[in-house]
Amino acid sequence: MSFGMFYTGLSGLNVAKAALVTTGHNTANVNTPGYSRQSAQIASNGGIYAPGVGFFGTGVKATDVTRSYDRFLTTQLNQAQSANQSLSTHYGQISQIDNLLANQSASLAPLMQAVFTSVQAVANTPADPAARQQLIGSAQAMTNQFRATSDYLSGLNTNANDQIAGSVDLINTYSGQIASLNKQIALVTDASGNQAPNDLLDQRDLLVSELSQLVGTKVVVQDGGQYSVFIGNGQTLVLGDQAASLKAVSSSADPARTGVALLGASGRSVELQDTVLAGGSLGGLLQFRNETLNNTQNALGRIAIAMSDTFNAQQRLGVDMQGVLGKDFFSQAAPGIIANNNNKGNLALDVSFDDTGKLTTSDYRLSVEADLSLTLTRLSDQQTLTLPTGFPASTVSTATFDGVTLSFASGSASAGDSFLIQPTRSGARDFDVVLLDPSKLAAAAPVVLGNPIKNLGSGLISGGTVDADYLATPLANNVTLTYDSASNSLSGFPDGSTVTYSAGATMRFDGISVKLSGSPANGDSFTIEKNSGGVSDGRNALLLADLQNKKTIGDNASSFNDAYAQLVSTVGNKTRQIDISNTAQTSLTAQIRTAQQSVSGVNQDEETANLLIFQQMYQANAKVIQTASTMFDAILGLR
């Protein structure tokens, strides 16, 4: 019996020691990231049957060391962290644009206002060279700020490219380590008779957690406990002890952007669509670039292009101080079209502006289908736009959409080819003042009207505005319109025609529009002459000033200031929305982490109590051994 007590006490001593070691391990790793609390599992050794008496217990044994782990909570936490990191990254990026646009010292609104204030000053005192120089200076300050803002946004794009490349390197590091741990865990588990290597499992789960903060992941546990990790729309990143590799590449659709490609076993890379890489900091970066950065650059470019186009058009309809028709005041960017690097065909297309007032802030994708037909998609809303039947060909050479004209140049397409059309991306970058001579500012109208004093009636000629048709046939000779009371008509038009007189009606010829009012007498004449010296004439400058409030943007629905205010509001609202979502997601993530740590985390107070319990267990079993020894000595003493 004493030997039985001895072995029973010894088993209890060993189990107490195992529990103490496990508890000590927990205490030591209380601050170790990813560590899950471990517990020694204890079971009875069973009993030995004594005839006529029953079963006597033989002590206790440690059957396993398990970790406190809830896969459901861990998966929830990984998903929450992924969404949280995506929102946090997106907010960190978009807030930079929001701060830039909201900064009064960097805002474009007061600079645009200053330009039109200077235009009005020229209209008031067209002969004043200081007023003219002030207009040029104000315009230069505005275009400088447009370019500076564009450069800042381009810098954000460059930074995003660098961060994407860095994220890809980290993803590859984590995936390789997860695959390595898969192999180690399988080997150790087999060697230990299917005992779980808890610390290795914790290390693997920590790597998955870190990976989920970079990109959205899905983990599938295979037979044998190995992890298969998938990203995107099911792309395999880790399968057993094999890890795929990602690569940061220059996007085939747009070389200015860094994309992500998956390397296959053959070494061939397949570029992944940005939209499939959701979640994590990488997903947040891609979402920011596609939803905010590109749109902001396009919106800013559209304002610059519209201002340049409308200002230049009106400038060309006036004459300078020498009576010469005006030249362009601003430079204007050209729309861009980029052929995909993977195109097999040699189709070449040209793109130009048709109507800048109809431009949107979207990019467009032109895709070649299997039957060689073309599909044009507006990327902002994924709307398919209609193209002329047969385009592109020599017989159907142009297609017009959203203020843009696409023209066939040469070559032919192959199925699967694509083109990226960016009408306004470079608008702010290429915006500058090209007219630097104040005397060349076309503040005057190209024609002057006359009401000879010899006229007997009360008729008056007014207006004298011109449109773009005037540029094709500028007034070469003076025109004198004569009123005939018998026929109630005016003659003297360059084409020899006569026009019935109607008081207040507009008469138009060769791009010139005039009005006659009052009651002219028979034989009264009215002159329309070429303005040969527009020194003190500010009529065209007044028309330039009117452009400030004219609806020239967004299908002629917004003015320049309206469009800029809309951009600031859109970015501000989006920033606020993401901030609110990020705050809510951060709170949710904290709640899930608390729930997960309540299961897996080490509680120092609890471990201290366990140490005391297992210490007493150890001491009690030592007493059992001591008692067995005393009994054994007593038996020996009987001899």
Side-chain angles (χ1 to χ4, degrees), residues 193-313:
N194 290 325
Q195 295 296 323
N198 296 319
D199 293 285
L200 291 179
L201 295 176
D202 284 342
Q203 290 178 37
R204 184 176 64 180
D205 284 332
L206 178 61
L207 289 173
V208 171
S209 175
E210 297 289 343
L211 178 63
S212 70
Q213 295 181 57
L214 289 172
V215 66
T217 61
K218 181 180 179 181
V219 176
V220 176
V221 182
Q222 305 291 351
D223 292 341
Q226 292 192 331
Y227 281 180
S228 291
V229 182
F230 304 91
I231 61 172
N233 59 352
Q235 301 293 334
T236 303
L237 186 65
V238 177
L239 188 61
D241 60 359
Q242 299 297 316
S245 292
L246 300 180
K247 183 180 180 182
V249 296
S250 177
S251 172
S252 60
D254 183 0
R257 299 187 307 166
T258 295
V260 180
L262 184 67
L263 292 178
S266 63
R268 181 174 176 269
S269 62
V270 178
E271 188 175 346
L272 303 176
Q273 295 294 326
D274 288 352
T275 52
V276 307
L277 295 172
S281 58
L282 178 59
L285 277 172
L286 296 175
Q287 189 177 16
F288 158 74
R289 187 174 66 183
N290 294 329
E291 293 184 3
T292 303
L293 179 58
N294 292 347
N295 289 343
T296 301
Q297 287 180 299
N298 290 347
L300 201 67
R302 182 175 68 162
I303 296 172
I305 289 169
M307 180 175 287
S308 173
D309 189 57
T310 55
F311 202 96
N312 286 346

Side-chain angles (χ1 to χ4, degrees), residues 158-176:
T158 300
N159 291 338
N161 288 341
D162 293 340
Q163 291 182 59
I164 289 169
S167 296
V168 167
D169 289 340
L170 278 176
I171 290 171
N172 287 335
T173 299
Y174 288 140
S175 63

Side-chain angles (χ1 to χ4, degrees), residues 84-385:
N84 192 189
Q85 195 62 36
S86 176
L87 288 168
S88 179
T89 301
H90 196 165
Y91 175 72
Q93 296 293 323
I94 194 175
S95 60
Q96 297 181 64
I97 297 180
D98 184 45
N99 292 337
L100 173 69
L101 297 179
N103 187 340
Q104 290 300 316
S105 63
S107 176
L108 288 166
L111 294 176
M112 289 190 288
Q113 176 63 46
V115 169
F116 287 104
T117 299
S118 298
V119 172
Q120 187 63 54
V122 172
N124 294 337
T125 56
D128 184 3
R132 290 171 173 259
Q133 187 60 56
Q134 177 62 36
L135 171 57
I136 293 175
S138 297
Q140 287 176 323
M142 179 190 68
T143 56
N144 287 344
Q145 189 59 44
F146 265 97
R147 294 197 305 276
T149 304
S150 177
D151 289 344
Y152 183 84
L153 296 176
S154 296
L156 289 181
N157 182 65
T158 300
N159 291 338
N161 288 341
D162 293 340
Q163 291 182 59
I164 289 169
S167 296
V168 167
D169 289 340
L170 278 176
I171 290 171
N172 287 335
T173 299
Y174 288 140
S175 63
Q177 291 176 344
I178 292 171
S180 177
L181 280 171
N182 271 341
K183 184 175 182 180
Q184 292 180 54
I185 289 169
L187 291 174
V188 173
T189 301
D190 288 342
S192 63
N194 290 325
Q195 295 296 323
N198 296 319
D199 293 285
L200 291 179
L201 295 176
D202 284 342
Q203 290 178 37
R204 184 176 64 180
D205 284 332
L206 178 61
L207 289 173
V208 171
S209 175
E210 297 289 343
L211 178 63
S212 70
Q213 295 181 57
L214 289 172
V215 66
T217 61
K218 181 180 179 181
V219 176
V220 176
V221 182
Q222 305 291 351
D223 292 341
Q226 292 192 331
Y227 281 180
S228 291
V229 182
F230 304 91
I231 61 172
N233 59 352
Q235 301 293 334
T236 303
L237 186 65
V238 177
L239 188 61
D241 60 359
Q242 299 297 316
S245 292
L246 300 180
K247 183 180 180 182
V249 296
S250 177
S251 172
S252 60
D254 183 0
R257 299 187 307 166
T258 295
V260 180
L262 184 67
L263 292 178
S266 63
R268 181 174 176 269
S269 62
V270 178
E271 188 175 346
L272 303 176
Q273 295 294 326
D274 288 352
T275 52
V276 307
L277 295 172
S281 58
L282 178 59
L285 277 172
L286 296 175
Q287 189 177 16
F288 158 74
R289 187 174 66 183
N290 294 329
E291 293 184 3
T292 303
L293 179 58
N294 292 347
N295 289 343
T296 301
Q297 287 180 299
N298 290 347
L300 201 67
R302 182 175 68 162
I303 296 172
I305 289 169
M307 180 175 287
S308 173
D309 189 57
T310 55
F311 202 96
N312 286 346
Q314 191 60 54
Q315 161 80 2
R316 289 193 293 267
L317 295 179
V319 293
D320 61 20
M321 298 184 79
Q322 286 74 42
V324 178
L325 285 171
K327 303 298 182 182
D328 284 350
F329 188 84
F330 293 113
S331 60
Q332 180 177 306
I337 182 168
I338 303 171
N340 195 296
N341 288 336
N342 298 325
N343 285 358
K344 300 296 189 297
N346 62 349
L347 176 65
L349 298 167
D350 294 326
V351 62
S352 58
F353 293 125
D354 172 64
D355 184 352
T356 59
K358 295 181 179 179
L359 291 174
T360 71
T361 59
S362 179
D363 293 338
Y364 302 80
R365 182 177 60 249
L366 187 69
S367 305
V368 183
E369 307 300 334
D371 61 356
L372 299 185
S373 64
L374 298 185
T375 299
L376 181 66
T377 304
R378 186 165 53 216
L379 298 181
S380 61
D381 57 8
Q382 295 301 310
Q383 180 71 34
T384 299
L385 305 181

Side-chain angles (χ1 to χ4, degrees), residues 385-547:
L385 305 181
T386 303
L387 292 172
T389 303
F391 176 82
S394 57
T395 54
V396 187
S397 60
T398 61
T400 300
F401 58 93
D402 290 350
V404 176
T405 296
L406 195 59
S407 304
F408 169 71
S410 62
S412 59
S414 294
D417 288 358
S418 66
F419 299 83
L420 179 64
I421 302 170
Q422 298 176 324
T424 63
R425 182 63 57 83
S426 61
R429 183 196 67 189
D430 298 339
F431 193 32
D432 201 0
V433 176
V434 294
L435 191 151
L436 302 178
D437 184 350
S439 68
K440 299 297 183 183
L441 185 64
V447 296
V448 291
L449 308 179
N451 294 283
I453 58 174
K454 66 180 182 178
N455 287 352
L456 301 178
S458 61
L460 293 173
I461 190 171
S462 60
T465 60
V466 299
D467 56 32
D469 290 343
Y470 179 80
L471 302 179
T473 55
L475 189 65
N477 300 305
N478 295 340
V479 174
T480 301
L481 302 180
T482 303
Y483 177 70
D484 179 21
S485 60
S487 60
N488 189 37
S489 63
L490 291 161
S491 61
F493 291 95
D495 61 359
S497 64
T498 59
V499 175
T500 300
Y501 173 69
S502 176
T506 299
M507 294 176 290
R508 184 179 180 280
F509 64 94
D510 296 340
I512 303 172
S513 296
V514 297
K515 286 184 180 181
L516 274 177
S517 59
S519 300
N522 185 52
D524 283 357
S525 62
F526 307 91
T527 60
I528 304 170
E529 301 176 356
K530 181 179 180 180
N531 192 352
S532 58
V535 177
S536 299
D537 183 355
R539 285 177 294 160
N540 196 55
L542 284 173
L543 295 176
L544 287 171
D546 288 343
L547 294 176

